[in-house]
Amino acid sequence: MRRPFVAGNWKMNLDLPSARALVSELRTRLPAAPPIDVAICPSSVYLFPMARAIADSPIRLGAQNCYPEKSGAFTGEISPQMIKETGCTYVILGHSERRHTIGPKGPDGRVAGESDEMVAAKCRAVLAAGMIPIVCVGETLEERDKGRAEDVLTRQLAGSLAGVDPAASMDIVIAYEPVWAIGTGRNATPEQAQEAHRHIRGRLAERFGRDAAERMRIQYGGSVKPDNALTLMKCPDVDGALVGGASLKAADFAAIIDGCIQARCH
Ligand code: 13P
């Protein structure tokens, strides 16, 4: 069985005192040994202090991005090895904000953000450094409205996993994050999430084989809140959540973790 996994993507939020307070409250609210994996993904400058804050707890650490080279003249970037040194287990890759929001605008006014090719290079580098990539995929509202959601997922998966050694596939986590559901308060319905996750698992089976695909975890992300976590995570192919806004409040994040445990571990 796939071990469920809930991670909090803090994005560019919190200052150091509030990050410490959040972790300290989270520790009091979580079971000592939850039957699921739990991680927080703070800003990279807070990785070292957060590694100390989560010591001797079931909470693991993740970074939000990396650069796919070991070292060199890459001003402002951080290598997987540097991230590993902070104590990280996970690295989020290809988040939709990196694909669609951050980066120079092209002539059509659209942001030319991170490409599938870059995500794939990062994915291979993170695996080589001995960490677990959380590879984000998801369609925009325009793509969904045009009936192209599944094509977009197929293309993003093929591109973002290019060149990945099939032997390492089971260490990869996929996060399905429909762009229209991120930070909007409008989550995918359980039916929409299950349909997309089923599609993703099918593509993973084509790429890595049925056994590997059955063991790979696919998180849902996009306006996950305490009141929708249970129903979303009851979907058979939804193996946890990548939580943005609600992971910044200990009570909400703990309630989502509890919803996941109730949905998947009873
Ligand atoms: P929200 O939970 O704030 O919608 O963000 C989702 C997300 O982008 C997690 O990576």
Side-chain angles (χ1 to χ4, degrees):
M1 253 328 271
R2 300 182 291 269
R3 186 173 162 89
F5 175 29
V6 175
N9 176 8
W10 291 1
K11 308 190 180 183
M12 202 175 73
N13 289 301
L14 302 172
D15 56 18
L16 193 49
S18 358
R20 286 204 169 102
L22 173 57
V23 170
S24 145
E25 189 184 340
L26 198 54
R27 290 181 65 132
T28 66
R29 289 179 179 270
L30 289 192
I36 68 168
D37 290 338
V38 174
I40 54 165
C41 305
S43 151
S44 57
V45 291
Y46 298 156
L47 288 173
F48 274 122
M50 288 307 103
R52 276 196 296 279
I54 59 171
D56 304 315
S57 86
I59 307 167
R60 296 288 169 266
L61 199 59
Q64 299 176 13
N65 183 30
C66 73
Y67 196 72
E69 297 289 341
K70 284 205 172 96
S71 61
F74 304 106
T75 301
E77 297 294 340
I78 307 175
S79 73
Q81 288 73 17
M82 291 167 178
I83 289 170
K84 180 96 191 278
E85 252 189 331
T86 68
C88 275
T89 306
Y90 306 96
V91 185
I92 298 173
L93 298 176
H95 190 277
S96 73
E97 285 141 23
R98 301 203 57 80
R99 291 180 187 267
H100 302 298
T101 313
I102 301 162
K105 282 201 176 109
D108 59 355
R110 288 179 196 238
V111 170
E114 198 156 298
S115 65
D116 289 330
E117 194 184 5
M118 184 55 120
V119 177
K122 293 179 176 187
C123 185
R124 295 190 299 267
V126 166
L127 288 167
M131 293 180 290
I132 298 177
I134 302 174
V135 176
C136 302
V137 293
E139 79 285 357
T140 62
L141 186 58
E142 190 188 344
E143 289 162 341
R144 174 160 283 263
D145 287 346
K146 286 185 178 155
R148 289 179 41 223
E150 292 197 343
D151 291 346
V152 169
L153 296 176
T154 301
R155 192 197 68 225
Q156 288 182 334
L157 284 169
S160 307
L161 298 173
V164 167
D165 179 1
S169 60
M170 280 178 289
D171 290 330
I172 301 172
V173 174
I174 305 293
Y176 170 59
E177 298 207 311
V179 179
W180 46 271
I182 296 177
T184 58
R186 176 184 163 190
N187 62 284
T189 63
E191 294 72 25
Q192 287 170 324
Q194 171 55 27
E195 194 178 35
H197 283 231
R198 188 79 227 141
H199 177 77
I200 290 169
R201 204 176 299 287
R203 302 297 70 72
L204 295 173
E206 285 169 2
R207 174 75 169 79
F208 298 121
R210 169 84 23 219
D211 280 1
E214 285 302 324
R215 285 197 244 167
M216 289 175 73
R217 297 179 292 182
I218 308 173
Q219 296 176 316
Y220 168 79
S223 298
V224 177
K225 306 280 179 230
D227 63 1
N228 60 27
L230 183 77
T231 44
L232 280 164
M233 274 169 275
K234 275 193 173 158
C235 301
D237 286 291
V238 177
D239 306 312
L242 186 54
V243 187
S247 73
L248 301 173
K249 293 194 190 117
D252 286 0
F253 193 49
I256 290 168
I257 290 164
D258 190 50
C260 182
I261 294 172
Q262 280 185 46
R264 306 294 293 211
C265 306
H266 290 290

